[in-house]
Amino acid sequence: MEWYFAYKDELEKVFRQAEERTSTFPAPFQQEGLDYLARFNPLREDSTRNYICYLLPFWLQELTGLPPETCRKLSLGNVFVMAHYLIQDDVMDTAADNRKTQLALSQLFYTECLSVYRDLFPATSPFWSYARTYVDEWAVSVISEGTEDYFQGERNKVALKASPLKMAGTGALLLAGRADLIQTITNMTDLSLLVLQMSDDWADWSEDLVEHSYNCLLSHISAEQKTAYCEGLGPQQIQEAIYVRGALASYVNIADQAVQQLETLEPSIHGLSSFAHSIATELGEVAAEIEGGRSHLRRGGLDYWLSKNMK
């Protein structure tokens, strides 16, 4: 994880600044905001590590030549972007009693994000046009999840739900005078986000099945069985596809292809490529372990499958 450890000190500074700004929120949102940020602070053992959100400006630093303090500002803006949109997603997906508090906190995070980016980009900067595009992509993506099977039709669109985090990467390129690379870096970011989403969907498939949330793995299994998305799929059928028919192995092949495509693009962004490669590798290790179990099954180990899956 060189792509992370090389920037660990910078992330400490970014999250310290994020906490300082959040501490200025009006009561009672200071503690709510700090608690929410803690869930995503990669320096905490119990956090969810949305590395690409905060590290993208640093991964581009060799290309852009931007000073560390500018990369920290871009990363800080993305921390608040991430917090805002993750709350929006939570509110859409659940009927929690604290929705009013969540939405109010989300708006405070978004206002902070705008404050950070206004310090870097004047109103006439093309940055704001790109930012609007990314918000539009997010909006269309979240509303299309129930009707569009992007993983089968337009796989690149799987990444669009996370489009707003591209603000930091595009901002870095604009500040460096490399607007000519925005589309290429966008494509590279989308490929990385696809692999990340595939990994998340492997971890979350059972929850997504219950909540009727779109899931790339469930799409993949549906396609292998030549049915409409999730048609006739229950937990037992999905487990059988994964643990008996090897659906995860073919799923990993798709992730590997995305990484290979990413690695053919120029200019090479080592941190971004290494990040995507590490995720695909972890997913591949899980598939290999399952394949080992399938080999055991073929030798008559029915108890293995039952012990692993029929709980």
Side-chain angles (χ1 to χ4, degrees), residues 12-60:
E12 287 182 357
K13 297 174 184 176
V14 168
F15 272 86
R16 191 178 308 121
Q17 291 176 28
E19 290 166 356
E20 289 170 358
R21 284 174 173 261
T22 302
S23 295
T24 67
F25 286 178
F29 295 101
Q30 300 100 328
Q31 195 56 50
E32 289 271 358
L34 290 171
D35 290 345
Y36 198 80
L37 284 180
R39 292 170 53 185
F40 307 103
N41 187 333
L43 306 169
R44 294 172 59 102
E45 287 297 325
D46 57 345
S47 75
T48 300
R49 291 167 170 78
N50 293 39
Y51 295 110
I52 192 171
C53 295
Y54 351 105
L55 287 173
L56 190 54
F58 296 105
W59 291 338
L60 294 172

Side-chain angles (χ1 to χ4, degrees), residues 196-250:
L196 177 60
Q197 188 63 57
M198 290 179 67
S199 176
D200 287 347
D201 285 355
W202 153 247
D204 298 338
W205 71 260
S206 57
E207 180 180 342
D208 289 341
L209 182 67
V210 171
E211 296 178 354
H212 304 290
S213 297
Y214 185 77
N215 183 289
C216 293
L217 179 60
L218 300 182
S219 170
H220 179 66
I221 292 172
S222 298
E224 285 199 333
Q225 298 190 9
K226 297 180 171 55
T227 65
Y229 178 77
C230 275
E231 184 178 293
L233 286 184
Q236 185 172 348
Q237 289 78 19
I238 296 166
Q239 289 173 340
E240 183 179 339
I242 294 170
Y243 295 99
V244 177
R245 295 200 299 273
L248 191 62
S250 54

Side-chain angles (χ1 to χ4, degrees), residues 134 156 159 166 181-194 258 261-262 265 272:
Y134 301 146
N156 61 304
K166 299 171 195 169
L181 291 175
I182 288 175
Q183 189 55 57
T184 299
I185 300 303
T186 295
N187 293 341
M188 297 171 76
T189 304
D190 282 345
L191 287 166
S192 297
L193 288 170
L194 169 62
Q261 184 180 350
L262 169 59
L265 297 175
L272 194 59

Side-chain angles (χ1 to χ4, degrees), residues 291-302 304:
E291 180 60 30
R294 291 178 66 226
S295 297
H296 188 82
L297 269 177
R298 286 192 291 269
R299 294 193 298 269
L302 179 59
Y304 176 89

